[in-house]
Amino acid sequence: MQGRVAVVCASTTGLGAAVAEALGAAGAKVVVTGRRGDVASEVASRLPAAAGVGVDLLAPGGTDRLVDFAETVFGPVDIMVLNGPGPRAGRIIEVGEEELGEAVDSLVTVHHRLLARVLPHMRGQGWGRVLAIGSSAVVAPISDLALSGIGRAALASYLKMLATEVAPDGVTVNMLLPGRIRTERVERIDAERALRSGRPLAAERAASAEAIPARRYGAPAEFGAVAAFLCGAPASYVTGSAVRCDGGASPVL
């Protein structure tokens, strides 16, 4: 992907940062995004060719500001990595009506706005990559991550339909589903579960790892490597897929 322009949403920490690093190492020009511009710029400074921008995608005009920045600094966007902060943890019976709307807005509506801006260029040039960072909850619901599962499942359906429509134009659309990857968000979820169960945090993490066939959490760099493959030329025949990176944890094929 040498010289391709990639935008990675919510890429100052966690899985987004891991994907930005992997795309940068593969030769892409990367736009690092986050609500804090100083942090985005600091992350970008560690990549071979990157620029950081502070933007709240949920704010009015936020998506336009991001795409305008990318086009001004590097040119039209070839690779769009959709990502966003996950909704709060909680079970379905604890979910409020307003939170349902917020989950869909943050995980579907915002991404629809971004794609409306970048897809015309991708389709016009006959090459493009759309990759969404999802969750294994898309294929196997996680009881205490109800809002995340609802929002990301809706996004998965949206992307599957989109993939069918843009495939003739050389644009691939996929979702990458992480399992237990050692990020700050996963550490927070582990701490919340430990608090609810009354178990020590170390015991909670050990139990979570034991439930994974690989018997460990994944490393962010491992996730980033799969993302880079899906965004590159060798994956041109992979589209409309939900690819899991979860150490075998999901109980479905």
Side-chain angles (χ1 to χ4, degrees):
M1 62 187 74
Q2 191 69 37
R4 297 288 189 184
V5 176
V7 171
V8 185
C9 300
S11 49
T12 54
T13 61
L15 298 178
V19 172
E21 291 170 5
L23 296 182
K29 301 174 183 177
V30 181
V31 175
V32 176
T33 73
R35 287 190 174 93
R36 291 184 54 188
D38 57 336
V39 178
S41 295
E42 194 279 325
V43 173
S45 70
R46 303 197 299 263
L47 305 183
V53 59
V55 59
D56 181 355
L57 294 178
L58 291 173
T63 52
D64 285 330
R65 179 166 181 253
L66 173 56
V67 177
D68 289 345
F69 176 86
E71 292 177 344
T72 299
V73 175
F74 291 130
V77 177
D78 306 302
I79 300 167
M80 175 60 73
V81 180
L82 306 173
N83 186 32
R88 72 168 182 86
R91 295 179 177 275
I92 191 66
I93 58 174
E94 302 168 352
V95 169
E97 182 177 336
E98 186 174 331
E99 289 180 307
L100 282 173
E102 292 172 350
V104 173
D105 281 346
S106 63
L107 295 173
V108 182
T109 307
V110 163
H111 296 153
H112 174 69
R113 292 193 193 111
L114 285 170
L115 293 178
R117 280 290 309 269
V118 302
L119 279 173
H121 163 71
M122 294 182 186
R123 300 178 76 180
Q125 71 176 358
W127 195 99
R129 297 289 182 267
V130 176
L131 179 66
I133 298 177
S135 166
S136 58
V138 168
V139 293
I142 301 171
S143 61
D144 59 350
L145 295 178
L147 284 169
S148 177
I150 291 168
R152 297 188 199 283
L155 179 62
S157 179
Y158 171 95
L159 294 176
K160 180 63 176 177
M161 291 185 282
L162 178 64
T164 302
E165 294 189 18
V166 300
D169 304 313
V171 179
T172 68
V173 182
N174 293 292
M175 184 174 252
L176 182 53
L177 311 181
R180 306 292 290 178
I181 310 293
R182 192 172 292 281
T183 63
E184 292 179 6
R185 173 168 167 77
V186 167
E187 289 177 355
R188 287 197 304 271
I189 291 172
D190 283 345
E192 292 168 0
R193 287 174 173 170
L195 185 63
R196 288 195 299 269
S197 68
R199 291 194 293 186
L201 179 56
E204 185 66 40
R205 288 176 175 163
S208 293
E210 185 64 24
I212 302 170
R215 297 296 189 270
R216 66 178 179 86
Y217 286 13
E222 293 175 306
F223 184 87
V226 181
F229 167 73
L230 291 172
C231 290
S236 295
Y237 204 56
V238 180
T239 194
S241 297
V243 179
R244 296 195 305 278
C245 182
D246 64 359
S250 178
V252 298
L253 287 174

